[in-house]
């Protein structure tokens, strides 16, 4: 049976609200002109407000700021495309709704007065002016595309309580430096891809996997501090990171997937730890400045095939117990002057 919804206009705030047949109260829009500095009430006409309905204030052009109290529910795209909105303040809440502020291009500041446990998909996507946000401790999840295209967001502290960086959560954002918290076990696919200002990343101590394209096309990424405990780097994770100069892979890593470091043109030396059992095709393809490699694990010829394709400046190769295999694999490298077993 479909829930019946009745609409009312609040006597004091003049906001529109609805009451379901379950006696749930939702702010659903405005009945008359509303203040530019909008305060969502906890009560309307003596009734406790449970939440804000989907699209309630989407595209309202004159809202300048909004204060949101503790509520149970937020629909999708509540304040999406509010082009004059510059500041949002949250009291303690369970989460921020799907696309809640997406494309609010003048939004600069988000303030949390208490714990907010999650940020849903695309909540701040396209907030191109957002530069001031301090995520509260107690937050556990940041969902897909939460901060996509937040170009002005240069600094962000990810709370220690976050357990996973979801895919494409910060794609095309303006972040310059990043510390992944110790509770995180996986950095999701394309989570920080195309972050052109990103220069430095410190990986948390418990990260086990860097997913596909997680840091793809971060052309100014110079420093990446890997953790002991990292096991897998998936395909194209660092493809196109053209400023990455040093690669200190941990001895716990077992899998470096296809094109993981493709076109990292500033890399000069690479050591493949003895723990590696899987080395993907074209893992280091087009690393044009690579001059020295050391392969400490006994990898098969199939795995090594084309792993270093088009690394034309390669001069020195050290391999573990693989002299004949290595000679054959690297026979076309004209600058190769030193080949030794280790």
């Amino acid at each position: 049976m479909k829930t019946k919804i009745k609409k009312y206009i609040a006597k004091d705030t003049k906001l529109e609200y609805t009451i379901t047949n379950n006696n749930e109260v939702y702010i659903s829009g405005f009945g008359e002109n509303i203040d530019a500095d909008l305060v969502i009430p906890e009560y309307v006409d003596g009734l406790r407000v449970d939440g804000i309905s989907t699209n309630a204030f989407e595209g309202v052009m004159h809202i300048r700021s909004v204060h949101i109290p503790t509520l149970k529910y937020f629909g999708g795209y509540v304040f999406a495309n509010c082009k004059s909105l510059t500041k949002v303040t949250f009291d303690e809440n369970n989460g921020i709704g799907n696309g809640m502020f997406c494309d609010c291009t003048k939004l600069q500041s988000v303030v949390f007065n208490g714990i907010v446990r999650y940020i849903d998909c695309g909540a701040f996507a396209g907030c191109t002016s957002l530069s001031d946000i301090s995520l509260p401790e107690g937050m556990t999840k940041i969902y897909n595309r939460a901060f996509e295209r937040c170009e002005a967001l240069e600094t962000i502290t990810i709370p220690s309580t976050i357990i996973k960086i979801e895919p494409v959560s910060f794609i095309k954002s303006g972040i310059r430096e990043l510390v992944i918290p110790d509770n995180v076990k996986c950095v999701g696919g394309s989570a920080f891809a195309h972050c052109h200002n990103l220069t430095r990343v410190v990986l948390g101590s418990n990260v086990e996997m860097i997913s596909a394209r997680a840091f793809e096309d971060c052309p100014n990424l110079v420093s990446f501090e890997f953790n002991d405990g990292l096991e897998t780097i998936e395909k194209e994770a660092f493809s196109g990171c053209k400023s990455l100069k040093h690669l200190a892979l941990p001895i716990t890593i077992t899998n470096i997937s296809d094109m993981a470091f493709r076109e990292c043109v500033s890399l000069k030396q690479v050591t493949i730890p003895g723990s590696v059992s899987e080395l993907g095709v074209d893992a280091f393809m087009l690393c044009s400045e690579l001059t020295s490699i050391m392969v400490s694990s006994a990898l098969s010829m199939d795995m090594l095939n084309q792993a270093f394709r088009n690394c034309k400046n390669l001069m020195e190769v050290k391999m573990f117990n693989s002299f004949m295999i290595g000679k054959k694999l690297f026979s076309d490298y004209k600058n190769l002057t030193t080949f030794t077993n280790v």
Side-chain angles (χ1 to χ4, degrees):
M1 181 178 178
K2 190 175 180 179
T3 300
K4 294 180 180 179
I5 297 177
K6 297 180 180 179
K7 294 185 177 181
Y8 303 87
I9 302 297
K11 295 176 182 178
D12 48 0
T13 63
K14 305 303 180 184
L15 292 173
E16 180 184 270
Y17 67 95
T18 60
I19 303 176
T20 70
N21 60 0
N22 294 321
N23 291 320
E24 294 171 327
V25 177
Y26 299 103
I27 302 295
S28 55
F30 58 94
E32 299 180 13
N33 290 336
I34 57 175
D35 291 336
D37 298 312
L38 176 62
V39 177
I40 301 297
E42 295 184 67
Y43 291 86
V44 288
D45 296 342
L47 302 172
R48 184 71 165 92
V49 175
D50 292 292
I52 308 175
S53 300
T54 298
N55 307 117
F57 299 96
E58 183 177 7
V60 178
M61 299 304 293
H62 68 278
I63 299 177
R64 184 175 57 211
S65 69
V66 61
H67 183 204
I68 298 172
T70 302
L71 299 175
K72 295 179 182 179
Y73 169 82
F74 297 112
Y77 303 93
V78 172
F79 294 97
N81 209 29
C82 289
K83 296 301 186 183
S84 297
L85 185 63
T86 61
K87 182 178 180 180
V88 175
T89 302
F90 276 93
D91 292 341
E92 182 171 338
N93 274 282
N94 190 41
I96 298 175
N98 179 33
M100 192 166 180
F101 300 97
C102 74
D103 294 323
C104 292
T105 53
K106 290 187 178 180
L107 180 61
Q108 298 176 4
S109 175
V110 179
V111 177
F112 296 97
N113 290 334
I115 295 173
V116 174
R117 307 241 173 237
Y118 68 87
I119 299 176
D120 213 337
C121 303
F124 297 99
C127 293
T128 53
S129 298
L130 182 60
S131 60
D132 182 14
I133 184 169
S134 181
L135 302 179
E137 287 294 319
M139 183 175 287
T140 58
K141 291 183 180 180
I142 301 172
Y143 284 95
N144 300 3
R145 303 188 183 278
F147 293 96
E148 178 186 11
R149 293 178 290 116
C150 290
E151 299 166 0
L153 188 62
E154 296 186 353
T155 60
I156 190 166
T157 300
I158 299 176
S160 64
T161 46
I162 292 289
I163 57 177
K164 182 181 180 182
I165 308 293
E166 295 286 343
V168 295
S169 48
F170 291 90
I171 189 171
K172 297 182 180 179
S173 69
I175 296 173
R176 292 185 177 275
E177 293 195 359
L178 178 66
V179 177
I180 305 293
D182 289 341
N183 280 333
V184 172
K185 291 192 173 183
C186 177
V187 179
S190 298
F192 299 95
H194 312 295
C195 290
H196 289 176
N197 293 331
L198 187 62
T199 61
R200 179 174 179 264
V201 176
V202 178
L203 211 57
S205 61
N206 290 307
V207 175
E208 297 174 353
M209 175 184 290
I210 299 175
S211 298
R213 305 179 185 89
F215 296 93
E216 179 188 25
D217 185 34
C218 293
N220 290 304
L221 180 60
V222 175
S223 173
F224 196 101
E225 297 181 25
F226 292 93
N227 63 306
D228 290 332
L230 181 67
E231 297 175 0
T232 300
I233 299 175
E234 289 195 337
K235 65 179 182 180
E236 300 178 76
F238 294 92
S239 178
C241 292
K242 296 182 178 182
S243 298
L244 190 62
K245 295 181 179 181
H246 305 289
L247 199 61
L249 296 171
I251 59 173
T252 53
I253 194 162
T254 60
N255 186 346
I256 301 172
S257 297
D258 298 351
M259 297 181 285
F261 295 94
R262 181 183 184 275
E263 208 173 355
C264 291
V265 295
S266 294
L267 279 179
K268 295 185 180 298
Q269 296 179 325
V270 169
T271 297
I272 308 298
S275 55
V276 173
S277 58
E278 298 286 338
L279 182 61
V281 174
D282 293 335
F284 293 90
M285 177 185 179
L286 292 171
C287 292
S288 56
E289 294 301 310
L290 189 61
T291 59
S292 175
I293 63 173
M294 179 174 177
V295 183
S296 299
S297 56
L299 297 173
S300 69
M301 189 170 182
D302 286 342
M303 289 183 188
L304 286 167
N305 186 33
Q306 296 185 333
F308 298 93
R309 191 156 60 96
N310 289 329
C311 297
K312 297 301 184 182
N313 287 314
L314 195 59
M315 299 174 63
E316 180 184 35
V317 175
K318 297 179 180 180
M319 297 186 72
F320 175 79
N321 197 26
S322 305
F323 187 81
M324 294 308 296
I325 291 176
K327 279 288 189 183
K328 185 175 182 179
L329 282 174
F330 296 100
S331 60
D332 293 334
Y333 288 76
K334 305 306 181 184
N335 293 322
L336 185 61
T337 57
T338 305
F339 191 97
T340 56
N341 256 351
V342 294

